[in-house]
Amino acid sequence: MNEVPCAWATVTVPTRPPEARMTQQPLSSESLSRESTAYRAALDVVRAVEPRVAEAIGQELHDQREMLKLIASENYASPATLLAMGNWFSDKYAEGTVGRRFYAGCRNVDTVESLAADHAKELFGARHAYVQPHSGIDANLVAFWAILAQRVEAPTLERVGVRQINDLSESDWAELRAAFGNQRMLGMSLDAGGHLTHGFRPNISGKMFEQRSYGTDPATGLLDYEALRATAREFRPLIIVAGYSAYPRLVNFRVMREIADEVDATLMVDMAHFAGLVAGKVLTGDFDPVPHAQIVTTTTHKSLRGPRGGMVLCDDSLRDQVDRGCPMVLGGPLPHVMAAKAVALAEARRPEFRDYAQRIVDNARALAEGLMRRGATLVTGGTDNHLTLIDVASSYGLTGRQAEAALLDSGIVTNRNAIPSDPNGAWYTSGIRIGTPALTTRGLGAAEMDEIAALIDRVLTAAEPGTTAKGAPSKAQHVLEPKVAEEISRRAADLLAGFPLYPSIDLG
Ligand code: DSN
């Protein structure tokens, strides 16, 4: 047996004898880890019905093991979290909330939903947690409609003197519906690192709200709070949304709340990207959104390292409105995912999660420093959180799309992202976003981050912009010598070999 340190626990892994490694002979069933036994049995059951699905599940594990995953919004959930999702909780309808369901037979769903909510409240110090949202977009929709219910619907009901919307006359209802559609939101601009769901037209939030954006100071790349304050005073939004998916610095939520209070706006924080850093107490005080915002949304699968899903935290004033998320904007809750959220949140309450969160940030800093030392230009000149944004246009003469493709050729998975005032727009972009939550889960540290910076720099230095089929300059095509891609892929695989992913799982 081998003791392998990984992010979730120290696991004991059966040692494969050399001859078994060379010939891929299966381990005997007595020497398999319990995770291997569980997954082999599960895949056998799936294989008997649709073998291609079983094969794809196995292939996905293989691919994830091989990839140098630097996508800032991805991670690896623990086997316990993954297993909690694959069961008959999926068969249950449970509209409503704990103890107040629209369906009978929900006592076990009540158990897991209460556990997940209690863990979330303890972990984040929140008054209330709603763990039903299926994704971050869903969590944001719940939050928007909770705020609209509190600030637009409730005053209308009070003015008219009725208790619920079904008691409104047709004309009062028409007036309320018009009022819903006449509200304002102030969110961070996309090219400064904001998110599509913070009031942008391609998302429902942009169709619901009149939106204005705040951004960063062109000189420093940092959030410009005074410009934000001036916009808020002039625009008078109902909601100010803070939070980002591509901003490499910290946000001062105390200042954001001051600004919101000054203009009578509700402060909503979308902490999807950095929830793990809040849970792990790396972001505290002014940088912890929970004590400052009236409502906080998150995904559960990014730095928080849970199952794919969403969650809303709020103060007492919004609790009832948030709990109406289903059926207002959500389909039936996913009890199997809420079970997995309870497991992952229990893991995040352990002391080792704090070490993990700190290492995410230490690794991001090491990666950023390694890149800058080799000449890369980073937006804002570094990072304070889990992500870094490389300006690949000015550093390497590439678009984000070309850089993303060249890195993928070389076994490094990233995603392109706009940078402030991006000359290449949101599709081709001038940036590459990289993040450390996933590789930190695998156990990589600062020394490996420096090695990864060297690999990234080597690929981006060697890559060149390509041309279209007709020989015109292309923002999409790139040229990278296959021998460079092969060399870097090999070095990436060698690096990862020392940090096995899901070391306790051997599918044979
Ligand atoms: N898709 C997430 C991200 O990559 O940041 C945000 O929705």
Side-chain angles (χ1 to χ4, degrees), residues 71-74 136-137 193-197 244-246 270 272-273 299 301-302 308 386-387 415 417 433:
I71 292 182
S73 49
E74 293 188 8
I137 288 188
H195 194 258
L196 215 55
T197 58
Y244 53 80
S245 58
D270 177 346
H273 260 261
T299 52
H301 51 271
K302 296 189 174 86
R308 187 159 292 280
H386 64 298
L387 69 86
N415 67 289
N417 208 101
R433 185 184 70 164

Side-chain angles (χ1 to χ4, degrees), residues 183-502:
Q183 303 301 323
R184 292 176 169 175
M185 171 182 288
L186 181 58
M188 190 170 186
S189 72
L190 278 181
D191 70 354
H195 194 258
L196 215 55
T197 58
H198 301 175
F200 295 93
R201 291 180 190 180
N203 177 257
I204 184 76
S205 56
K207 301 178 198 330
M208 282 166 55
F209 291 97
E210 180 186 349
Q211 198 260 18
R212 218 164 290 160
S213 299
Y214 58 87
T216 46
D217 179 337
T220 60
L222 301 178
L223 252 180
D224 187 340
Y225 296 99
E226 287 319 304
L228 194 170
R229 189 187 301 273
T231 306
R233 280 180 183 157
E234 193 252 311
F235 185 54
R236 310 291 303 185
L238 180 78
I239 305 175
I240 296 181
V241 185
Y244 53 80
S245 58
Y247 179 65
R249 298 294 181 178
L250 305 187
V251 176
N252 187 321
F253 298 110
R254 182 184 51 74
V255 173
M256 296 289 288
R257 177 62 185 263
E258 263 171 37
I259 296 170
D261 283 349
E262 190 184 325
V263 299
D264 192 26
T266 298
L267 178 63
M268 167 181 158
V269 177
D270 177 346
M271 66 168 180
H273 260 261
F274 51 92
L277 306 186
V278 179
K281 311 298 174 214
V282 172
L283 300 183
T284 57
D286 293 353
F287 307 108
D288 174 354
V290 180
H292 300 292
Q294 285 99 334
I295 190 160
V296 176
T297 60
T298 185
T299 52
T300 45
H301 51 271
K302 296 189 174 86
S303 54
L304 193 53
R305 210 170 62 193
R308 187 159 292 280
M311 188 163 73
V312 181
L313 308 174
C314 64
D315 63 17
D316 286 328
S317 72
L318 281 161
R319 165 195 298 258
D320 292 346
Q321 291 87 344
V322 163
D323 278 351
R324 286 186 213 127
C326 171
M328 185 159 59
V329 293
L330 298 177
L334 308 175
H336 54 306
V337 182
M338 292 195 289
K341 286 173 184 171
V343 173
L345 289 162
E347 289 171 345
R349 290 184 62 191
R350 293 179 177 169
E352 49 269 37
F353 195 85
R354 294 188 183 199
D355 299 339
Y356 166 66
Q358 186 59 52
R359 282 188 290 109
I360 291 176
V361 174
D362 294 345
N363 278 346
R365 193 165 296 138
L367 188 49
E369 281 166 7
L371 286 163
M372 287 190 292
R373 213 172 49 251
R374 291 171 176 88
T377 302
L378 305 186
V379 173
T380 79
T383 178
D384 293 323
N385 57 24
H386 64 298
L387 69 86
T388 293
L389 202 53
I390 312 174
D391 177 348
V392 290
S394 52
S395 311
Y396 301 102
L398 300 167
T399 63
R401 186 156 167 192
Q402 290 162 338
E404 175 190 89
L407 289 166
L408 188 63
D409 288 352
S410 313
I412 302 174
V413 189
T414 62
N415 67 289
R416 64 186 185 277
N417 208 101
I419 63 172
S421 310
D422 199 314
N424 287 318
W427 178 246
Y428 294 109
T429 84
S430 301
I432 283 287
R433 185 184 70 164
I434 53 180
T436 51
L439 291 183
T440 305
T441 294
R442 283 185 82 152
L444 281 76
E448 291 78 30
M449 293 301 136
D450 194 57
E451 169 78 12
I452 291 168
L455 301 185
I456 292 174
D457 180 64
R458 169 94 170 97
V459 173
L460 298 183
T461 303
E464 288 176 10
T467 53
T468 63
K470 292 184 177 159
S474 164
K475 289 187 176 186
Q477 306 299 324
H478 71 285
V479 180
L480 179 67
E481 278 190 54
K483 71 170 197 264
V484 176
E486 278 158 27
E487 174 211 323
I488 300 301
S489 298
R490 189 172 25 75
R491 284 171 60 187
D494 287 349
L495 188 65
L496 289 177
F499 301 90
L501 175 62
Y502 297 116

